[in-house]
Amino acid sequence: MNTINSKALSRIPLPELMDLKVDFAFKQMFGSEKNKQITLVFLNAILQRTGRGTIKEVEFVNQEVGGEYKDYKQSRLDIVVRTQSNELINIEIQLTDEHDMIKRTLFYWSRLYNSQLEKGKGYHTLVPTITINICNFTLFKNNTYFHSTFHLYEDFTMQRIESTDDVLEVHFIEMNKFLDLWKQNELNVLDDILIRWLLLLGMVDVRKTKVYNEIYQELEDLAMTDENLSKAFTAWEELSRSKEDILAYESRLKYILDEEGKLDDVKYKAEKKGREEGLKEGKRELVENLLSMNIEIEVIQKATGLSASQIEEIKAKLEAK
């Protein structure tokens, strides 16, 4: 078994390591052929909770979902793999809360599930499709645990659907809750491999310009005997040293932060207008102002809480003036 020493882990200053919760870095780390073994270990660590068999091989597949018709949104999923059992797994990392997470997840799941059915094939050929969402925000406010899983159950008996039709599985991992539990010493990093990998994801927080040195020290010790964790550190350092990848990472991070700032400004203006002129009138005028600034309708929806049809109606009246 390979080992890793403290000097090997310290070759690059910790603040220079990429935040693996930024989707670009996450994809490079867990979605590449050269890191396939890391991907396998990570997936097995997540899926072991639901009792699925060990994944021994994965194939990275086309990430485009939707777009067959003009009214469908075109989406690029973070990572999609097909297992040796032909099951499809989509892994998504979400740095910021863009709202409607449950509906978005089911939309992506349905499109991926539907993509299997080839012309002339029967429904019996459809295989289980799994979606894993790693969220850097709190999604389920009434649930204190960080890993939630969902399947199809009967409402009254709470009996899970027959295994032959058990094709839906959705995971949500909430990093905020995870780190809170870790800080409270509620997690056993020695016995649970998933804890190690989530600590790896949580170690660097680029938005808070923070590195958890305590996590580093804990993982440093574990990497002495955990070959896959050792490989992950090496891959992470290589990624964080690549000038080409650094440029792409910083560009992606800038876009994410700019979108967050834009949404925050829009929300502030909506609240201010609502207070000054009354909620209804304030929202109408705000929508007009934002439309005149060519702000996207989806962004206006999030800022005002209005539906797309309400915004389109205001837009039509504005254009008719």
Side-chain angles (χ1 to χ4, degrees):
M1 178 178 288
N2 292 340
T3 60
I4 187 165
N5 57 45
S6 59
K7 290 184 179 179
L9 281 181
S10 305
R11 286 177 300 181
I12 183 171
L14 298 186
E16 293 182 17
L17 288 170
M18 291 183 183
D19 187 340
L20 294 175
K21 297 183 296 299
V22 175
D23 53 10
F24 171 80
F26 183 81
K27 293 175 190 178
Q28 297 299 105
M29 183 76 164
F30 295 99
S32 66
E33 283 289 335
K34 66 178 181 179
N35 294 334
K36 183 182 285 188
Q37 180 59 31
I38 293 174
T39 306
L40 280 170
V41 175
F42 184 54
L43 285 174
N44 281 319
I46 294 173
L47 298 179
Q48 66 182 350
R49 185 180 178 203
T50 58
R52 287 191 174 274
T54 301
I55 299 173
K56 299 177 181 178
E57 181 59 45
V58 293
E59 170 194 3
F60 294 100
V61 299
N62 193 318
Q63 298 172 332
E64 296 292 351
V65 173
E68 291 90 339
Y69 304 97
K70 65 178 183 179
D71 292 332
Y72 282 156
K73 291 185 178 181
Q74 185 74 29
S75 306
R76 175 165 286 276
L77 303 178
D78 281 358
I79 300 172
V80 178
V81 300
R82 190 186 303 276
T83 72
Q84 77 274 3
S85 301
N86 215 31
E87 295 177 333
L88 288 170
I89 305 176
N90 169 218
I91 320 164
E92 296 283 315
I93 189 84
Q94 301 289 339
L95 187 64
T96 59
D97 185 1
E98 298 182 4
H99 306 289
D100 297 321
M101 189 66 197
I102 306 297
K103 293 178 181 178
R104 290 179 57 206
T105 295
L106 291 175
F107 174 79
Y108 290 153
W109 179 90
S110 67
R111 298 301 297 153
L112 188 59
Y113 181 66
N114 181 60
S115 70
Q116 303 175 57
L117 195 60
E118 299 177 8
K119 189 174 181 179
K121 295 288 185 68
Y123 292 109
H124 69 278
T125 62
L126 294 170
V127 297
T129 298
I130 304 168
T131 295
I132 300 170
N133 290 292
I134 303 171
C135 306
N136 194 47
F137 50 86
T138 299
L139 182 62
F140 303 111
K141 298 190 184 337
N142 296 324
N143 179 7
T144 58
Y145 197 60
F146 68 89
H147 188 182
S148 302
T149 61
F150 296 87
H151 298 86
L152 291 174
Y153 286 84
E154 201 285 322
D155 283 347
F156 294 99
T157 65
M158 290 305 295
Q159 183 175 351
R160 191 160 155 181
I161 200 165
E162 293 291 336
S163 59
T164 52
D165 295 317
D166 192 12
V167 296
L168 182 148
E169 181 169 317
V170 177
H171 294 247
F172 291 99
I173 295 175
E174 300 169 87
M175 291 299 298
N176 286 351
K177 292 179 182 177
F178 168 77
L179 287 173
D180 285 342
L181 290 171
W182 175 77
K183 292 172 185 176
Q184 297 165 20
N185 295 316
E186 296 289 332
L187 303 174
N188 191 337
V189 70
L190 294 176
D191 294 336
D192 193 330
I193 296 176
L194 178 59
I195 303 301
R196 305 179 186 186
W197 291 92
L198 294 183
L199 284 174
L200 197 75
L201 293 182
M203 194 174 99
V204 176
D205 190 329
V206 67
R207 291 189 300 177
K208 295 180 180 177
T209 61
K210 179 178 177 59
V211 176
Y212 290 91
N213 287 289
E214 311 94 312
I215 292 180
Y216 173 80
Q217 291 166 7
E218 191 160 8
L219 294 182
E220 181 182 36
D221 292 337
L222 290 168
M224 296 293 290
T225 55
D226 187 332
E227 180 181 6
N228 292 303
L229 190 58
S230 170
K231 289 179 179 179
F233 264 107
T234 300
W236 193 8
E237 285 197 348
E238 290 176 355
L239 175 63
S240 300
R241 285 182 181 276
S242 166
K243 292 182 179 179
E244 182 180 352
D245 288 328
I246 291 172
L247 186 62
Y249 167 80
E250 291 179 344
S251 175
R252 177 58 180 164
L253 180 60
K254 181 180 184 300
Y255 173 81
I256 291 173
L257 296 179
D258 284 349
E259 287 297 300
E260 284 185 357
K262 182 191 300 183
L263 184 57
D264 188 59
D265 285 342
V266 170
K267 285 182 177 179
Y268 171 77
K269 291 176 181 178
E271 291 172 358
K272 185 177 180 181
K273 278 288 184 181
R275 288 192 302 268
E276 290 176 352
E277 303 178 23
L279 188 59
K280 185 175 179 179
E281 184 65 16
K283 281 188 177 181
R284 183 189 63 77
E285 291 190 8
L286 177 60
V287 169
E288 289 181 351
N289 290 335
L290 294 176
L291 287 171
S292 67
M293 295 165 58
N294 295 319
I295 300 296
E296 295 178 353
I297 287 180
E298 286 189 357
V299 176
I300 300 176
Q301 279 184 266
K302 293 175 183 177
T304 63
L306 296 178
S307 66
S309 60
Q310 288 175 309
I311 296 170
E312 290 287 359
E313 183 180 349
I314 295 173
K315 182 179 180 181
K317 291 180 180 179
L318 182 64
E319 291 174 347
K321 288 182 178 180

